[in-house]
Structures are given as C-alpha cells and as structure tokens.
Amino acid sequence: MSSRDDILAAVRKHPLEPTPQPTLEQDWIEFPDLVAQFSTVIQTVGGLCIPVNSVEDINAELKKMPQFESALVRCSTIAGVGDPTLDPASVEKPHDLQTVDFAVLRGEFCVAENGAVWITDEPTPHRALYFITQHLALVVPKSQIVSNMHQAYQQLAFEEPRFGAFISGPSKTADIEQSLVIGAQGPRSHVVFLVDD
C-alpha cells in the first residue's frame, strides 16, 4: 500500500459526526445611519463617497477631482454626467477600452458593512470598463443601501446567467513585500456618488 492509501484508510476509520448547518435566521448587524457607515468604510478601503442632491450635482463634484480634469478619455453611462469623450457602445472589443482614464457608471446598490457596490453589465456593453479604466465613479441612489451582506444577497435574483460583482474601493494588493499597492490590477481611484431619489 502507498502512503496515500494509508492516509485515506486512516481517515476513513475516524469519520466525523455530522453537524447541522447553522441557520441564517440571526440578528445580523444593522446600522442606524447607512450613508455614514458606508462612507466611513469605503474611505477605509481607499475609496471616497460623495452624497449629492441630484445627478446634475455630480458634474460639479467631478470638476473638483484632478483625476477627472486631467482625463483625456472619459466614458459615462449616466445621461448628462461626466462630459464623455468616448461612447462605450461605439467600441467593439473590450481591449479597445484600455485608454479610458475616467468612467462614470451605474451601481445597483451599496452595502454599508463593507463599502461594496453591486454592479452588473446591464448599463454598459462591456463589463471590462469597470476594471480597465484608470479611475472609476459609480452612481447609486441613496435609498439603495443595505446594512449587511445577508441583506445584499437577498437583493440578488438571477433568472438567467448574467454578470455581477461587488466592488469595494480601488484595486489594491499587498502580496509583494507586504507593501500596499493601489491600482495594481484595476482602477487607481474609486468614488461613489450617492444620489437623492
């Protein structure tokens, strides 16, 4: 018998007693001020949250950002926002978006617990745009914030296969020499505009 067979035989001789799965019906964390909590967490993970009264106010906030003002190629899927220089619908291949400096895109809802925003590829013809742009701004209605990930998963429904992801802050890694690098595999900055309904 090989060492592998010996190990597997020993494991089979000592089976573990089955344990019931834990219930998800618990008192999960709730936050009294969802906007304040989301803003605090997203700042902690390297992003920025800016509450605004209307979509029109976003343009005024964008003009205060050096990343936006210096951007040569800008995309936006929000009507009237972001002064776009490139229409993503006119691009055939996602790789052709590699020159995008700043993208303003729609987020579906936010999670106060971890500063995440749920995104889908519905508002853009290329989901790569969320990750290939140098700087990312997401626009989310202020009423669309949940406290925790359990509530977030209850928001999701898939009637057919589709793309979706949670984004929390800019791209970052600390794999190399334990040194935090922002923008290693995706956007170098990330801002979320929370808009009044």
Side-chain angles (χ1 to χ4, degrees), residues 55-56 58-59 62 68 75-84 104 139 193:
V55 170
E56 292 76 23
I58 296 173
N59 286 323
L62 287 172
F68 179 80
C75 288
S76 177
T77 59
I78 311 295
V81 173
D83 191 22
V104 182
V139 179
F193 291 103

Side-chain angles (χ1 to χ4, degrees), residues 15 36 40 74 137 139 154 177 186:
T40 299
R74 295 187 292 262
V139 179
Q154 290 172 357
E177 298 180 2

Side-chain angles (χ1 to χ4, degrees), residues 48-124:
L48 179 64
C49 176
I50 302 176
V52 291
N53 295 323
S54 66
V55 170
E56 292 76 23
D57 293 342
I58 296 173
N59 286 323
E61 293 296 332
L62 287 172
K63 288 181 180 174
K64 298 176 187 176
M65 297 179 182
Q67 304 97 322
F68 179 80
E69 285 297 295
S70 64
L72 299 177
V73 181
R74 295 187 292 262
C75 288
S76 177
T77 59
I78 311 295
V81 173
D83 191 22
T85 61
L86 175 69
D87 178 6
S90 69
V91 176
E92 287 186 29
K93 299 176 186 173
H95 289 89
D96 295 337
L97 295 167
Q98 65 184 336
T99 60
V100 175
D101 297 308
F102 204 104
V104 182
L105 308 172
R106 189 181 82 201
E108 303 295 322
F109 64 88
C110 303
V111 186
E113 176 181 36
N114 59 7
V117 179
W118 175 253
I119 55 104
T120 69
D121 57 358
E122 259 182 42
T124 177

